[in-house]
Amino acid sequence: MEKRRIVVGVSGATGVCMARYLLTELASHECVETHLVVSAGARRTWELECCEPIDALLALADHVHSAENLAACISSGSFQTDGMIVLPCSMKTLAQIAHGIADNLLSRSADVCLKEGRRVVLAPREMPLGAVHLRNLKLAAELGCVIMPPMLTFYNGPVSVEDQIWHIVGKILRQFHIEPQRFHGWEGAE
């Protein structure tokens, strides 16, 4: 069975720990191969927000690429992937993707996925959103990105922040037709 390739970008917005949950879930699916790009901003945010070393995140990926390596395999459309997830997506990364500024591997990989017609899911993290952010989100959506802000949900009966994160990860993975193990979707009401 050929593995599905998913590129995971982690940019420097708050919430970098969500990437660990995403990669943990993806690692549990034998049919998925992950390619991870962590921006310099994300590495710094990880130091500020997370208790474990960044190596714990990197160890979850099948392949880790330097954000400065524009010659990495994922920088070319001839390297087949199923698409890309940027979690969290900073407003800087959003702007780069929306405006085709591919000056690092994270934004270049998204650019490649878009030009090749592959799914790109952005999980923007900013609050409140200013007019320029909203304009860039709209532009990214018009270009084909799926915009999935990590919103709180309550219909799934969460009792912890971790429950909320697993729900966000599940919603993102369903965009790639990957059924998450820790996801509890809406089942209707009587």
Side-chain angles (χ1 to χ4, degrees):
M1 173 176 59
E2 190 172 318
K3 288 195 172 195
R4 299 180 62 195
R5 291 179 178 147
I6 306 284
V7 179
V8 176
V10 184
S11 67
T14 189
V16 291
C17 69
M18 293 185 293
R20 182 174 53 82
Y21 289 81
L22 174 66
L23 285 165
T24 297
E25 179 64 35
L26 286 170
S28 73
H29 295 267
E30 291 181 9
C31 63
V32 176
E33 174 184 303
T34 53
H35 289 260
L36 176 64
V37 181
V38 181
S39 74
R43 288 175 181 273
R44 179 63 180 136
T45 304
W46 184 276
E47 290 173 5
L48 297 170
E49 293 184 351
C50 302
C51 298
E52 56 192 355
I54 190 110
D55 290 344
L57 175 69
L58 305 179
L60 293 168
D62 294 305
H63 304 276
V64 179
H65 304 279
S66 167
E68 290 77 40
N69 183 9
L70 286 168
C73 57
I74 57 175
S75 71
S76 173
S78 64
F79 185 78
Q80 286 289 334
T81 69
D82 290 271
M84 182 171 187
I85 301 162
V86 183
L87 174 69
C89 183
S90 68
M91 294 300 100
K92 175 184 175 183
T93 298
L94 167 67
Q96 289 174 317
I97 293 168
H99 295 277
I101 301 169
D103 65 350
N104 62 63
L105 186 59
L106 201 160
S107 57
R108 171 63 186 166
S109 297
D111 188 57
V112 165
C113 287
L114 289 173
K115 79 179 183 71
E116 297 292 333
R118 300 172 189 158
R119 184 161 305 272
V120 175
V121 175
L122 305 180
R125 269 294 303 119
E126 188 63 71
M127 188 172 58
L129 292 166
V132 71
H133 306 139
L134 293 168
R135 193 175 309 126
N136 286 338
L137 285 167
K138 181 177 185 286
L139 180 56
E142 290 170 350
L143 295 171
C145 294
V146 177
I147 309 299
M148 298 190 72
M151 302 276 198
L152 299 176
T153 54
F154 298 95
Y155 62 81
N156 55 328
V159 295
S160 67
V161 171
E162 189 170 65
D163 290 344
Q164 294 279 359
I165 295 171
W166 284 124
H167 188 78
I168 292 161
V169 166
K171 295 283 279 187
I172 290 169
L173 290 182
R174 283 183 153 194
Q175 289 292 310
F176 292 89
H177 307 289
I178 297 171
E179 196 55 38
Q181 298 173 27
R182 297 174 186 94
F183 179 79
H184 303 287
W186 177 249
E187 296 174 6
E190 295 299 321

